[in-house]
Amino acid sequence: MSGVLEVVEPATGAVMARVPRAGVDEVDAAVARAKAAFTAWRDVTPGDRTMLMHRLADAIAGEHEELARLEARNAGKPIGDARGEIGMAIDTFRYYAGAPERLLGKTIPVADGVDMTFREPLGVVGLIVPWNFPLTIASWKVAPALAAGNCVVLKPAELTPLTAIDLERIALEAGLPEGVLQVLAGPGTTCGGRLVEHPDVAKIAFTGSTEVGRGIARGAAETIKRVTLELGGKSANVVFADADVEAAAAAAPGAVFGNAGQDCCARSRILVQRSVVEEFIEAMRPHVEGLTVGDPLDDATQMGPLISAGQRESVASFVPDDAPVAIRGSAPEGDGYWFAPVVLAPVANDDRAAREEIFGPVACVIPFEDEAEAVRLANATIYGLSGSVWTRDGGRALRVARAIETGVISINSNSSVRVSTPFGGFKQSGIGRELGPDALDHYTELKNVYYATN
Ligand code: NAD
């Protein structure tokens, strides 16, 4: 093992765990074990694979509260959110548990024979995940990968490896064969980089920053690996004057400050029709000033600390002394990486705070005149991950939802993900889709078999 990884609790800044730090040698050994386990796992009958995945879901559910508390402490997220996220991970395993018997092919009419298609597993897949929703995002990849018959090497972020390490233990206890799901906690460049270049890894499914995603796409090109990328975002929350402005203003803070803004789906550009900007900001004020920021393990907490000192420094650079702060919430003093939520208004769409993914609790209010300008501003970004449209005009709601270049958009809501519906990005927010039935396509190859009958 290449040493020890110290895991820090963001609410206190203190070390909460020490885990083995995997490097290149550990990746090579894990990939070899996964490759050795693959044929037997691929050949497990669909019914048995379904049963094993249900057992895994049950076993995670058996440790729901312990995992939620661990995630809350390690990622600095409110315990209520952490419970919901572990719940979603369980639901994701249950959803894909039903997949092995539904990986259907086709029969295609051809001359002098029968032509049929099969969905085949890829082999060993490398899954690389970020620190903001550690076990949940891991489950979005692990569950469809296993259901399709692949063996998995999962690399959690070095800041938040603890629930993923537990997942490997739980999977073994639930009866998954050795080598089918392995977890390696290690640095991105060495541990993650080796997975990307390894010739026996057939695919990389990555969630993280657009910058690292570019490097992964380049690295994977060398061995023509399949790649799924879920990257950054700078999503628009478009509020028209004909909307229920109260409801939009009450929902907007949650859409940016959830997970302390460390959310790829954060609707951090709030585009508000100029005639209701003042009304909107005043309606939003109590929801920002009243946010309870504090101890992640307290049930009353709505927002925790940022993940690290470095992240706090990076977020603070977007709120210089002369920033147009319209609303500022509160945050605890003292140890821990605290940052009070902030709404900047008015902001121009090409200001740095409106262009770059801040990944912290900073929202920008950007005024617009009419529908055409709203769509133009919403699309003036390299990203395209999520978004919302608030209006009482049904035709406009659908027109704007269709016109915004984004993978996921909600009307009169700020919800982004559901286990059964596709999630992923347009433009530089990514390639491929997770969740829903479509994700299985990314963990299988399509094989075409022709059987001559003449
Ligand atoms: P990151 O890109 O720094 O790291 C993500 C993962 O990649 C980590 O496990 C890291 O160790 C690994 N990594 C880093 N360098 C690597 C390399 N050279 N080769 C291989 N692996 C490497 O991202 P982060 O800071 O952990 O997470 C924040 C980012 O993730 C934000 O940009 C956010 O928008 C994005 N994100 C996207 C989604 C989505 O679904 N689109 C979801 C959550 C987070």
Side-chain angles (χ1 to χ4, degrees):
M1 224 18 101
S2 321
V4 166
L5 207 58
E6 290 197 327
V7 182
V8 170
E9 183 165 8
T12 63
V15 173
M16 66 180 283
R18 291 182 174 80
V19 300
R21 181 177 192 268
V24 169
D25 292 346
E26 288 74 25
V27 172
D28 288 353
V31 171
R33 278 193 296 272
K35 194 178 173 190
F38 172 60
T39 311
W41 179 241
R42 181 195 61 194
D43 293 343
V44 168
T45 65
D48 284 351
R49 201 175 311 136
T50 290
M51 183 196 64
L52 280 168
M53 291 198 56
H54 274 302
R55 267 200 214 151
L56 174 53
D58 290 344
I60 301 169
E63 300 189 24
H64 194 148
E65 184 61 17
E66 293 82 354
L67 288 165
R69 291 180 73 81
L70 194 60
E71 199 85 301
R73 286 185 63 201
N74 189 185
K77 58 179 71 231
I79 183 67
D81 293 0
R83 288 189 185 109
E85 289 172 28
I86 303 300
M88 188 184 196
I90 296 164
D91 290 347
T92 304
F93 279 102
R94 290 204 199 291
Y95 179 81
Y96 287 108
E101 289 176 317
R102 295 181 178 81
L103 284 170
L104 305 180
K106 292 180 177 150
T107 54
I108 303 170
V110 290
D112 304 324
V114 176
D115 199 282
M116 55 202 135
T117 63
F118 296 85
R119 286 258 159 219
E120 306 274 11
L122 300 167
V124 180
V125 298
L127 312 181
I128 302 177
V129 297
W131 44 259
N132 55 346
F133 299 102
L135 193 68
T136 306
I137 289 180
S139 75
W140 297 357
K141 301 180 192 314
V142 174
L146 294 180
N150 301 285
C151 288
V152 165
V153 179
L154 167 66
K155 194 203 90 58
E158 48 276 55
L159 295 173
T160 56
L162 300 181
T163 48
I165 290 171
D166 272 355
L167 179 66
E168 179 180 328
R169 170 186 57 76
I170 292 169
L172 287 170
E173 288 169 5
L176 253 74
E178 297 265 351
V180 169
L181 170 57
Q182 299 172 82
V183 175
L184 295 178
T189 42
T190 49
C191 186
R194 180 60 183 153
L195 270 177
V196 172
E197 73 183 20
H198 200 298
D200 289 336
V201 173
K203 177 206 169 88
I204 295 289
F206 169 79
T207 297
S209 59
T210 294
E211 194 186 335
V212 173
R214 284 190 194 103
I216 286 182
R218 273 195 295 272
E222 197 56 41
T223 45
I224 315 290
K225 279 188 180 51
R226 281 74 189 124
V227 178
T228 311
L229 302 173
E230 297 289 354
L231 307 175
K234 190 73 192 177
S235 297
N237 189 0
V238 184
V239 182
F240 286 95
D242 64 9
D244 180 341
V245 173
E246 270 295 327
V256 193
F257 304 142
N259 212 42
Q262 303 164 122
D263 182 347
C264 53
C265 289
R267 287 137 167 92
S268 50
R269 289 186 302 142
I270 308 177
L271 307 186
V272 184
Q273 198 153 19
R274 199 174 293 280
S275 60
V276 293
V277 166
E278 292 307 316
E279 181 193 344
F280 180 85
I281 290 174
E282 288 318 308
M284 188 164 61
R285 184 179 300 283
H287 300 284
V288 178
E289 292 176 345
L291 265 179
T292 309
V293 183
D295 178 5
L297 293 179
D298 185 335
D299 276 313
T301 294
Q302 295 170 295
M303 193 181 115
L306 296 175
I307 190 71
S308 64
Q311 187 67 14
R312 183 169 60 181
E313 201 178 309
S314 160
V315 173
S317 76
F318 289 91
V319 193
D321 288 342
D322 61 351
V325 174
I327 314 174
R328 195 190 297 267
S330 59
E333 302 280 325
D335 293 340
Y337 312 123
W338 305 103
F339 195 91
V342 169
V343 178
L344 305 179
V347 176
N349 200 51
D350 53 3
D351 286 353
R352 177 172 170 250
R355 262 190 354 257
E356 296 182 18
E357 184 180 43
I358 299 176
F359 229 55
V362 180
C364 296
V365 173
I366 303 166
F368 69 86
E369 293 298 336
D370 56 18
E371 187 177 316
E373 189 183 21
V375 170
R376 183 176 63 72
L377 292 175
N379 287 338
T381 168
I382 61 166
Y383 299 111
L385 189 56
S386 76
S388 293
V389 186
W390 294 80
T391 173
R392 287 190 173 101
D393 178 336
R396 164 176 278 166
L398 279 177
R399 263 195 321 271
V400 173
R402 296 290 309 276
I404 294 182
E405 299 155 357
T406 187
V408 175
I409 192 155
S410 303
I411 296 167
N412 297 331
S413 156
N414 57 16
S415 71
S416 296
V417 290
R418 281 160 294 274
V419 172
S420 56
T421 62
F423 173 71
F426 278 28
K427 303 196 285 190
Q428 294 187 37
S429 285
I431 299 174
R433 292 294 177 270
E434 302 204 289
L435 300 172
D438 305 273
L440 290 161
D441 290 352
H442 296 295
Y443 291 97
T444 50
E445 287 281 19
L446 193 57
K447 179 177 285 175
N448 186 30
V449 175
Y450 173 70
Y451 195 147
T453 52
N454 58 350

